[in-house]
Amino acid sequence: MLKRTRQESFSDKLYKFRGVILVVSVPLLLTSFVLLFMPRSSSDDGIISMEAGNRRASSNDPRSSPSPHGSKSYAAIFDAGSSGSRVHVYCFDENLNLVPIGKELELFVQKKPGLSSYAHNPHLAADSLQSLLDQAESVVPQELRHKTPVRVGATAGLRALEGDTSDRVLQAVRDFLEDKSSLKSKPDWVTVLDGTQEGAFQWVTINYLLGNLGKKYSNTVGVVDLGGGSVQMAYAISQKDAAKAPQILKGEGTYVKELFLKGTKYYLYVHSYLHYGLLAARAEILKAVEGSGNPCILNGYHGLYKYGGTAYEAFTSPSGSNLGNCREAAIKALKANESTCTHMKCTFGGVWNGGGGDGQKNLFVASFFFDRASEAGFVDPNLPVAKVRPVDFKDAAKRACETSLEDAKSTYPHVEEENLPYLCMDLVYQFTLLVDGFALDPWQEITLVKKVKYGNALVEAAWPLGSAIEVASSST
């Protein structure tokens, strides 16, 4: 006789396998919850986070198939530097690849002087950006202008102004953008960049253009960016070295920024040296020499050098301009022999140097380094990059220091007249900064960079691209 078996109901089966169901479902529910509320990207104090997620396309392949018009996004970034104002406009596809604006991969326009030159007339400072704004708006499709962010990042020129002067200039710029711009502006998008932000943005810019983001830190390059008022060094270090980082002396903050880029976490050593940009260093070197004349000024010049609202008398010493004596003045200005850092390796002024390592082995040196090298004749100004050694600046300085102002006019035709008396000083300082300041071997190969090849195009190696990547990734 067959025994009848009881047919289990659906609820009985659920009860019977309740343990298995619980084990499987709880992690799934938690994962779904995290994915639902996890932000696409984040930004904190200028630290960039690019979500890897669906951005599978290579960041260095602008030749991928064109995106539909609606998937493009634009960003306009003003670089308000001490020597002038510049605007960069970039266009990104949905994978944060750069795509062309017309025939170029960016709009780049500049003008002089910088905002700090209008310190006593903030409204005039703001109005000086009008022509740059007009050109920026002209390349953004009209239907996208209202959601295209416009940022203004002021650098060392405004950082050096006294009192509330920089605040009044920035507020005038905010009001100007609110009244005159069709682009999307926010009050906190007009600011004086912290020097470490500037350095971090520059590091992101160059490594993005080289296609290094997403690779391990040892495959990235380090950056030295010499501006007018400050100089920044930035390079990726190991997590172990990051844990050893001291606190910054005489101030708050840290030497290490954490960045999450293309699915990879980086520990970025970055430091900004205010008063040690090329134009600011001239003032420091003039102050460093007591008595009559300065050995860094070309023979035949006698005038005033104005920086940061102060005028310094500038004329050559009785014995004329001289490489050796100028080196002594530059070392004194750098305070390279007065380090207060005794427990670890330092650069000048008692600043921790980050410990070195693989992230610093390939060094890209930008801005005034490239400009002076090309003007002095040992770098082709028509090339975007050049391999040089610090000693090349010393050799060029020797030639410049032995040249009178009158002869220099024909010997160095590409140097602007206002910079010519300081050519010996500038080249000596750049060599001293690299060797005595940053402790580079004089014969170490470094890369001078003005533009970086990206696909088949060239893009300016400047910090605004890093800022544009941040604002674009946080708004997509």
Side-chain angles (χ1 to χ4, degrees), residues 319-442:
S319 58
S321 52
N322 174 274
L323 172 64
N325 293 338
C326 185
R327 278 267 291 146
E328 292 179 9
I331 290 172
K332 185 177 180 181
L334 272 178
K335 302 177 177 63
N337 296 328
E338 302 176 17
S339 175
T340 58
C341 183
T342 58
H343 60 291
M344 58 182 64
K345 291 182 178 180
C346 292
T347 59
F348 55 95
V351 174
W352 182 53
N353 73 352
D358 288 343
Q360 194 190 26
K361 64 185 179 183
N362 293 320
L363 206 58
F364 275 57
V365 180
S367 300
F368 273 122
F369 277 109
F370 189 98
D371 296 340
R372 287 296 176 272
S374 63
E375 291 167 352
F378 65 93
V379 164
D380 186 344
N382 298 314
L383 295 179
V385 298
K387 298 287 187 180
V388 302
R389 301 161 301 171
V391 72
D392 293 330
F393 285 93
K394 181 180 180 181
D395 293 341
K398 186 176 186 299
R399 292 190 297 271
C401 295
E402 294 173 350
T403 306
S404 68
L405 180 63
E406 188 61 34
D407 291 340
K409 294 176 182 178
S410 57
T411 305
Y412 302 102
H414 301 296
V415 179
E416 294 180 0
E417 185 177 354
E418 62 187 28
N419 292 321
L420 203 54
Y422 308 100
L423 185 59
C424 165
M425 179 187 288
D426 290 351
L427 292 167
V428 168
Y429 174 68
Q430 289 176 325
F431 172 73
T432 304
L433 177 62
L434 293 173
V435 174
D436 299 278
F438 293 134
L440 299 186
D441 187 300

Side-chain angles (χ1 to χ4, degrees), residues 221-290:
V221 302
V223 171
V224 175
D225 187 22
L226 180 62
S230 63
V231 59
Q232 286 72 233
M233 173 175 273
Y235 64 95
I237 62 177
S238 68
Q239 184 175 3
K240 181 179 179 181
D241 284 340
K244 301 175 184 176
Q247 288 296 308
I248 293 178
L249 298 176
K250 299 178 182 179
E252 299 178 357
T254 177
Y255 287 103
V256 179
K257 304 289 186 183
E258 295 182 9
L259 286 70
F260 190 76
L261 301 162
K262 292 287 184 180
T264 303
K265 188 173 186 178
Y266 295 100
Y267 298 90
L268 188 68
Y269 165 81
V270 57
H271 191 75
S272 178
Y273 301 80
L274 187 60
H275 307 305
Y276 291 102
L278 189 69
L279 305 183
R282 290 178 182 174
E284 298 299 318
I285 292 172
L286 289 171
K287 289 190 292 183
V289 179
E290 298 178 357

Side-chain angles (χ1 to χ4, degrees), residues 78 85 115 125-134 152 173 176:
F78 282 84
S85 296
L115 294 182
D127 289 341
S128 73
L129 302 179
Q130 183 67 64
S131 63
L132 300 181
L133 177 64
D134 291 342
V152 178
V173 173
F176 165 78

Side-chain angles (χ1 to χ4, degrees), residues 22 43 65 71 114 157 171 230 285 298 352 371 426 475:
L22 187 64
S43 153
S65 55
S71 64
Q171 187 55 52
S230 63
I285 292 172
L298 293 192
W352 182 53
D371 296 340
D426 290 351
S475 61

Side-chain angles (χ1 to χ4, degrees), residues 115-277:
L115 294 182
S116 56
S117 299
Y118 304 96
H120 301 297
N121 194 333
H123 293 291
L124 195 59
D127 289 341
S128 73
L129 302 179
Q130 183 67 64
S131 63
L132 300 181
L133 177 64
D134 291 342
Q135 293 180 76
E137 290 180 331
S138 70
V139 299
V140 179
Q142 189 167 358
E143 63 272 24
L144 296 181
R145 290 177 188 172
H146 71 284
K147 59 181 182 180
T148 293
V150 55
R151 280 183 168 186
V152 178
T155 53
L158 281 192
R159 284 200 294 267
L161 295 180
E162 297 180 353
D164 65 347
T165 303
S166 64
D167 291 334
R168 290 188 289 109
V169 171
L170 292 177
Q171 187 55 52
V173 173
R174 294 185 188 105
D175 295 341
F176 165 78
L177 291 176
E178 181 69 25
D179 295 339
K180 303 290 182 65
S181 175
S182 61
L183 305 180
K184 180 181 179 180
S185 64
K186 293 182 179 180
D188 59 356
W189 284 355
V190 178
T191 183
V192 175
L193 279 187
D194 177 89
T196 58
Q197 285 179 300
E198 188 179 350
F201 284 148
Q202 180 75 339
W203 182 88
V204 170
T205 290
I206 291 179
N207 282 283
Y208 169 93
L209 293 173
L210 292 172
N212 292 337
L213 299 184
K215 298 178 181 179
K216 57 185 180 180
Y217 86 94
S218 57
N219 289 332
T220 61
V221 302
V223 171
V224 175
D225 187 22
L226 180 62
S230 63
V231 59
Q232 286 72 233
M233 173 175 273
Y235 64 95
I237 62 177
S238 68
Q239 184 175 3
K240 181 179 179 181
D241 284 340
K244 301 175 184 176
Q247 288 296 308
I248 293 178
L249 298 176
K250 299 178 182 179
E252 299 178 357
T254 177
Y255 287 103
V256 179
K257 304 289 186 183
E258 295 182 9
L259 286 70
F260 190 76
L261 301 162
K262 292 287 184 180
T264 303
K265 188 173 186 178
Y266 295 100
Y267 298 90
L268 188 68
Y269 165 81
V270 57
H271 191 75
S272 178
Y273 301 80
L274 187 60
H275 307 305
Y276 291 102

